């Protein structure tokens, strides 16, 4: 749903100029240094990008999901690491509070998450609990007016920068399933919370993930999201339903950029005395990429509209995440092929994108997990 | 204190231009539109002055044109203008600079603007006349092609760029009008929160027929692309003979080696 066409157009304009003028020129440098300069983070903050999805009454922009998707398509014309900076505040690191938080929690954290003063992280995955997140082992035991959290969380995006963590832990030791899990808001600096070393990743250099360890980490009862035990897994799933569409939008933006790179190379590069874009085998790769990217874009927008009408999008968001992430990897693979040897060389953005986009088939549920969700929902519906 | 900034919406220069059916201007179909680049410098300078002088200043942005120009107006509001005037004119492109200037002057007369900012020229027509003619019709001092701007208690100090990069400094008392040139400032990106906030700012719409009193003084009689010159010359052969060929061409066709 688009609330106001001209407002969103202006926003897209701003983001598109900013991406062109500031982000694309330094994306290679950021990857090389595995870090984004502070002034860029400040600019992203000033532009208001951290607050895309946070409601206006808590200081965000309160965009509808369709509007958010359009902005994300534009932002992701640059390396996905810039999206990753705001990604957790727009998505998984803030959504738990937006969707299920108490009024007090919303007032305390959302304005700072919207302005980017605070970075939020989402800590669900554990060394022994990845795809099977409901089997997580971290515990939060009640002790008077507090809970004591113990456990290790793995591969937590933006953890080194985060000021607030949404942490999932088992409050009911009897219940080994999803119903025993609660979600907590744990602030950086809480005694017992510590970070592991930054992981060395295949791609998306400049964005950071690490372990988050909880060692007798004491938080007040008021830190439970929504104030109720046993709701944590539901919160996690609701969060992911929405944020998977966001990740799919990231894939669509990256697809467009990769296609642009491949196309401009194909019309310039000459072999057998003509541009390689004259060869039908190259054209087929370009055309398939275009058609698939367009399909992914259409799916994302359709799903976002459905969400904006307050409909359940569990199946659709998994379809989007599955299709868009598999698609962007195919497109990146074809782009490397179109560039030939150059596609394997660091000087070309395509080489970097090929590595960067691989992540999208893994996190926020692997492609196999999306397939399981889609099929499970289909079967549930028929029964 | 009251400030006015006048802006025009022009086609994105990356668009493909085609002459219209009468062959006197470009066809407006399939064009992407944006704020004239020089006007962005004007808006930025006006907003900077407004920020410096604070709440007692009112900054109005004005644009003449069809409904689409409201997009450019909204951008100026998001950059920091307080309110806006849209002078609705579906055929603004058919008016000559004198008429456009007189519409602005008729609107601005008696409104008590201390300072008016415009771009140096528009990127599509490029007449560079509107700003100075507004000043003339209002009896304001004016200064063109600004690359530096300072204001202090009723006095504008303007730095101008002259041919060959030479600079000139001009002082003027307000009321005054300045036209802004590349290099004056770096226009800000309207931030997303400011875009949201600017939705609440007022845009007054006026019909051009209520303000247009002047007859045109000039008419564009044709608009066309230059005929294509021959393609570049591609020299082939050994390096040594290439060098000889290049030197020959430079001697024959240019004064570089004379
Ligand atoms: C860079 C990065 C950032 C991340 N950020 C975060 C974050 O911010 N917060 C967070 O909580 N987590 C995060 N993760 C973790 C991510 O969500 C998990 O890695 C992912 O869910 C997969 O879990 P796993 O790595 O344990 O793989 P596993 O679950 O061990 O899966 C291994 C393989 O088995 C397959 N598989 C598993 N179960 C099934 C099944 N039932 N049927 C068929 N196939 C199956 C998987 O699809 C996969 O191919 C991040 C990971 C990375 C790499």
């Amino acid at each position: 749903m688009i609330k106001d066409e001209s407002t969103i157009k202006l926003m897209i304009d701003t983001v598109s100029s900013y991406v062109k003028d500031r982000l694309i020129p330094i994306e290679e440098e950021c990857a090389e240094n595995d870090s984004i300069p502070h002034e860029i983070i400040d600019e992203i903050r000033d532009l208001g990008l951290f607050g895309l999805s946070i409601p206006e009454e808590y200081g965000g922009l309160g965009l509808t999901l369709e509007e958010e998707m359009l902005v994300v398509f534009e932002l992701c014309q640059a390396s996905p690491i810039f999206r990753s900076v705001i990604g957790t505040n727009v998505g998984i690191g803030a959504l738990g509070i937006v969707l299920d938080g108490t009024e007090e929690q919303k007032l305390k954290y959302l304005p700072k998450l919207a302005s980017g003063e605070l970075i939020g992280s989402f800590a669900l995955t554990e060394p022994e609990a990845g795809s099977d997140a409901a089997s997580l082992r971290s515990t939060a035991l009640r002790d008077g007016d507090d809970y004591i959290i113990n456990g290790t969380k793995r591969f937590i995006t933006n953890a080194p920068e985060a000021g607030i963590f949404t942490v999932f832990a088992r409050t009911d030791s009897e219940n080994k399933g999803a119903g025993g899990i609660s979600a907590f808001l744990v602030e950086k600096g809480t005694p017992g919370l510590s970070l592991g070393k930054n992981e060395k990743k295949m791609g998306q250099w400049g964005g950071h993930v690490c372990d988050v360890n909880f060692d007798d980490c004491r938080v007040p009862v008021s830190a439970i999201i929504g104030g109720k035990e046993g709701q944590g897994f539901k919160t996690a799933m609701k969060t992911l339903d929405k944020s998977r569409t966001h990740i799919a939008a990231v894939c669509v933006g990256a697809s467009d950029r990769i296609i642009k790179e491949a196309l401009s190379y194909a019309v310039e590069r000459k072999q057998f005395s003509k541009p390689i874009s004259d060869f039908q085998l190259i054209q087929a790769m370009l055309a398939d990429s275009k058609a698939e990217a367009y399909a992914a874009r259409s799916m994302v927008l359709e799903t976002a509209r459905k969400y904006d009408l307050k409909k359940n999008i569990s199946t659709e968001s998994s379809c989007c995440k599955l299709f868009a992430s598999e698609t962007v990897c195919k497109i990146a693979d074809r782009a490397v092929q179109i560039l030939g040897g150059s596609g394997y060389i660091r000087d070309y953005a395509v080489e970097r994108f090929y590595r960067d986009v691989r992540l999208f088939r893994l996190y926020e549920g692997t492609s196999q997990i999306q397939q399981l969700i889609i099929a499970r929902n289909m079967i549930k519906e028929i029964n | 204190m009251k400030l006015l900034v006048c802006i025009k919406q022009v086609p994105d220069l990356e668009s493909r231009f085609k002459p219209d059916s009468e062959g006197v201007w470009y066809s407006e179909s399939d064009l992407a539109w944006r704020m004239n680049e020089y006007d962005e410098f004007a808006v930025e300078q006006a907003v900077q002055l407004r920020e410096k002088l604070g709440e007692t200043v009112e900054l109005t942005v004005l644009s003449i044109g069809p409904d689409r120009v409201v997009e450019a107006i909204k951008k100026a509001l998001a950059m920091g203008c307080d309110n806006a005037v849209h002078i609705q004119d579906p055929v603004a492109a058919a008016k000559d600079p004198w008429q456009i200037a007189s519409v602005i002057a008729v609107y601005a007369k008696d409104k008590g603007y201390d300072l008016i900012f415009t771009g140096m020229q528009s990127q599509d027509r490029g007449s560079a006349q509107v700003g100075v003619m507004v000043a003339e019709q209002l009896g304001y001092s004016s200064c063109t092609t600004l690359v530096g701007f300072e204001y202090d208690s009723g006095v504008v100090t303007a730095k101008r760029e002259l041919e060959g990069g030479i600079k000139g400094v001009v002082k003027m008392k307000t009321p005054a009008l300045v036209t802004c040139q590349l290099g004056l400032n770096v226009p800000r990106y309207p931030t997303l929160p400011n875009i949201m906030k600017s939705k609440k700012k007022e845009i007054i719409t006026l019909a051009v027929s209520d303000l247009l009193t002047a007859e045109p003084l000039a008419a564009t009689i044709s608009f066309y692309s230059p005929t294509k010159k021959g393609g570049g010359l591609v020299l082939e052969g050994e390096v040594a003979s290439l060098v000889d060929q290049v030197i020959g061409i430079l001697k024959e066709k240019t004064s570089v080696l004379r």
Side-chain angles (χ1 to χ4, degrees):
Chain A
M1 187 195 306
I2 299 201
K3 283 183 294 189
D4 176 16
E5 197 79 48
S6 71
T7 302
I8 199 70
K9 204 166 161 224
L10 254 183
M11 288 187 179
I12 291 172
D13 235 41
T14 282
V15 173
S16 145
S17 315
Y18 180 70
V19 162
K20 241 187 269 158
D21 299 346
R22 297 288 289 157
L23 298 185
I24 293 179
I26 59 152
E27 58 183 22
E28 175 56 28
E29 181 192 321
C30 292
E32 213 46 57
N33 300 337
D34 193 19
S35 117
I36 302 173
H38 279 294
E39 71 254 27
I40 293 287
I41 309 268
D42 289 344
E43 286 168 10
I44 290 176
R45 207 174 271 139
D46 290 345
L47 282 177
L49 288 168
F50 281 95
L52 291 182
S53 67
I54 293 174
E56 276 186 281
E57 61 263 41
Y58 303 106
L61 296 167
L63 298 190
T64 64
L65 191 54
E66 186 178 1
E67 292 169 339
E68 178 187 323
M69 300 297 94
L70 294 171
V71 173
V72 170
F73 292 161
E74 219 49 53
L75 180 61
C76 292
Q77 298 304 302
S79 155
I81 59 166
F82 300 112
R83 193 292 312 186
S84 184
V85 168
I86 62 153
T88 46
N89 283 31
V90 172
I92 54 178
L95 274 173
I97 310 176
V98 172
L99 296 171
D100 283 340
T102 62
E103 191 56 27
E104 194 189 334
Q105 288 164 344
K106 290 180 182 176
L107 288 170
K108 183 165 180 198
Y109 297 114
L110 291 182
K112 288 184 184 166
L113 286 164
S115 69
E117 183 186 334
L118 197 64
I119 301 289
S121 264
F122 176 87
L124 176 66
T125 305
E126 298 181 356
E128 307 296 333
S131 297
D132 185 10
S135 72
L136 62 82
R137 297 176 182 186
S138 294
T139 56
L141 297 182
R142 181 80 186 240
D143 180 40
D145 283 342
D146 296 332
Y147 284 93
I148 301 172
I149 304 179
N150 277 289
T152 296
K153 295 293 176 180
R154 180 132 298 168
F155 304 147
I156 305 308
T157 300
N158 288 344
E161 290 82 16
I164 183 76
F165 296 85
T166 300
V167 181
F168 298 86
R170 201 166 290 286
T171 40
D172 182 353
S173 53
E174 301 294 298
N175 186 341
K176 300 283 178 222
I181 297 171
S182 303
F184 292 87
L185 293 168
V186 185
E187 293 178 9
K188 167 183 153 182
T190 307
L193 186 160
S194 64
L195 302 179
K197 62 170 185 30
N198 281 1
E199 301 290 354
K200 291 188 179 148
K201 310 196 302 318
M202 174 193 285
Q204 300 213 11
W205 300 345
H208 305 130
V209 298
C210 67
D211 277 4
V212 182
N213 306 307
F214 299 89
D215 187 9
D216 286 337
C217 180
R218 190 176 275 274
V219 296
V221 173
S222 61
I224 282 201
I225 291 188
K228 265 201 288 193
E229 279 191 13
Q231 300 298 307
F233 200 71
K234 280 196 196 132
T235 298
M237 293 306 112
K238 273 199 272 179
T239 296
L240 291 169
D241 272 355
K242 186 173 184 201
S243 70
R244 280 170 183 153
T245 318
H246 175 98
I247 297 297
V250 174
C251 296
V252 170
S255 296
D256 289 348
R257 167 71 189 279
I258 297 167
I259 293 171
K260 224 180 268 167
E261 296 284 337
L263 179 62
S264 60
Y265 187 88
V267 295
E268 289 293 328
R269 171 71 178 169
K270 286 201 178 113
Q271 284 297 287
F272 302 96
S273 312
K274 44 176 133 156
I276 60 168
S277 59
D278 281 7
F279 302 125
Q280 290 186 348
L281 292 173
I282 297 286
Q283 289 177 359
M285 287 196 274
L286 289 169
D288 285 352
S289 295
K290 182 76 183 176
E292 286 166 16
Y294 181 52
R297 169 183 291 258
S298 305
M299 284 170 82
V300 165
L301 291 175
E302 181 66 19
T303 300
R305 283 181 212 121
K306 200 167 170 192
Y307 181 89
D308 291 334
L309 294 172
K310 309 237 172 333
K311 302 233 171 85
N312 183 321
I313 57 161
S314 170
T315 304
E316 288 83 349
S317 67
S318 282
C319 289
C320 289
K321 162 78 164 60
L322 172 65
F323 184 78
S325 65
E326 293 287 331
T327 291
V328 70
C329 288
K330 269 194 262 175
I331 290 174
D333 187 73
R334 288 187 197 117
V336 170
Q337 204 62 26
I338 290 169
L339 267 75
S342 301
Y344 198 71
I345 301 295
R346 286 271 165 92
D347 292 350
Y348 292 85
V350 160
E351 183 275 339
R352 175 161 35 80
F353 270 91
Y354 178 83
R355 288 180 289 104
D356 286 351
V357 298
R358 188 62 182 81
L359 176 59
F360 299 130
R361 287 158 65 194
L362 302 172
Y363 70 179
E364 300 206 14
T366 62
S367 289
Q368 289 69 41
I369 294 305
Q370 308 309 328
Q371 289 173 313
L372 290 186
I373 296 171
I374 297 164
R376 200 178 51 215
N377 287 348
M378 288 167 70
I379 295 162
K380 203 161 58 184
E381 260 171 46
I382 202 168
N383 286 335
Chain B
M1 186 175 186
K2 289 178 79 175
L3 310 177
L4 179 70
V5 56
C6 303
I7 65 169
K8 180 177 183 181
Q9 192 189 41
V10 295
D12 191 304
L13 287 195
E14 284 170 22
S15 311
R16 275 169 205 266
F17 292 90
K18 289 184 300 273
D20 60 11
S21 52
E22 287 102 68
V24 293
W25 195 233
Y26 52 79
S27 153
E28 292 203 355
S29 55
D30 300 329
L31 293 178
W33 299 89
R34 48 163 297 160
M35 193 192 304
N36 181 38
E37 191 183 1
Y38 298 102
D39 301 347
E40 289 192 358
F41 305 133
V43 172
E44 177 63 34
Q45 204 56 50
V47 169
Q48 283 184 16
L49 182 63
R50 193 209 170 288
E51 285 172 345
K52 193 175 132 200
L53 299 179
E55 291 304 315
T56 57
V57 178
E58 184 188 352
L59 169 57
T60 301
V61 54
L62 176 150
S63 188
I64 305 173
D67 286 341
R68 62 170 157 72
V69 309
V70 172
E71 272 173 30
I73 289 179
K74 286 188 173 174
K75 179 169 183 180
L77 290 173
M79 286 171 78
C81 296
D82 296 305
N83 50 46
V85 179
H86 171 208
I87 299 177
Q88 217 163 15
D89 184 358
V91 289
K95 299 201 168 45
D96 75 335
W98 172 255
Q99 283 182 299
I100 296 291
S102 80
V103 168
I104 298 172
V106 168
Y107 170 78
K109 200 167 176 300
D110 306 327
K111 296 268 188 323
Y113 291 113
D114 300 277
L115 256 170
I116 300 179
F117 297 81
T118 73
M120 173 185 92
Q121 61 184 22
S122 60
Q123 287 171 294
D124 56 354
R125 195 177 298 268
S127 80
Q129 295 179 31
V130 171
V132 282
M133 292 197 297
V134 169
E136 175 66 19
Q137 295 187 38
L138 291 173
Y140 282 26
S141 350
S142 73
C143 183
T144 57
T145 56
L146 260 67
V147 292
F149 174 90
E150 273 172 48
Y151 172 83
D152 191 24
S153 21
V155 178
V156 172
T157 308
K159 197 199 256 180
R160 306 184 58 227
E161 192 169 68
L162 314 179
E163 278 303 311
I166 294 171
K167 302 284 191 292
V169 175
V170 174
K171 266 190 196 297
M172 301 182 292
K173 284 214 178 101
T174 57
L177 181 146
V178 292
T179 78
C180 303
Q181 156 75 309
L182 176 82
L184 177 60
N185 54 42
V186 181
R188 68 196 63 196
Y189 300 101
T191 70
L192 274 48
N194 284 344
I195 291 172
M196 289 297 263
K197 280 185 215 139
S198 67
K199 282 201 291 192
K200 299 202 185 79
K201 294 182 179 176
E202 188 184 22
I203 304 176
I204 296 172
T205 308
L206 303 172
V208 71
S209 52
D210 294 339
L211 300 165
L212 182 66
T213 51
E215 291 295 321
L217 300 181
T220 304
I221 53 165
S222 74
F223 178 93
Y224 58 93
S225 306
T227 45
K228 272 212 170 126
K229 297 227 181 81
L233 191 60
V234 180
L235 305 178
E236 282 175 63
E238 293 292 313
V239 175
S241 97
L242 287 177
V243 170
D244 288 342
Q245 288 183 59
V246 170
I247 289 173
I249 293 168
L250 289 175
K251 275 192 178 149
E252 198 179 312
K253 306 220 160 156
T254 76
S255 56
V256 175
L257 298 180
R258 274 179 214 154

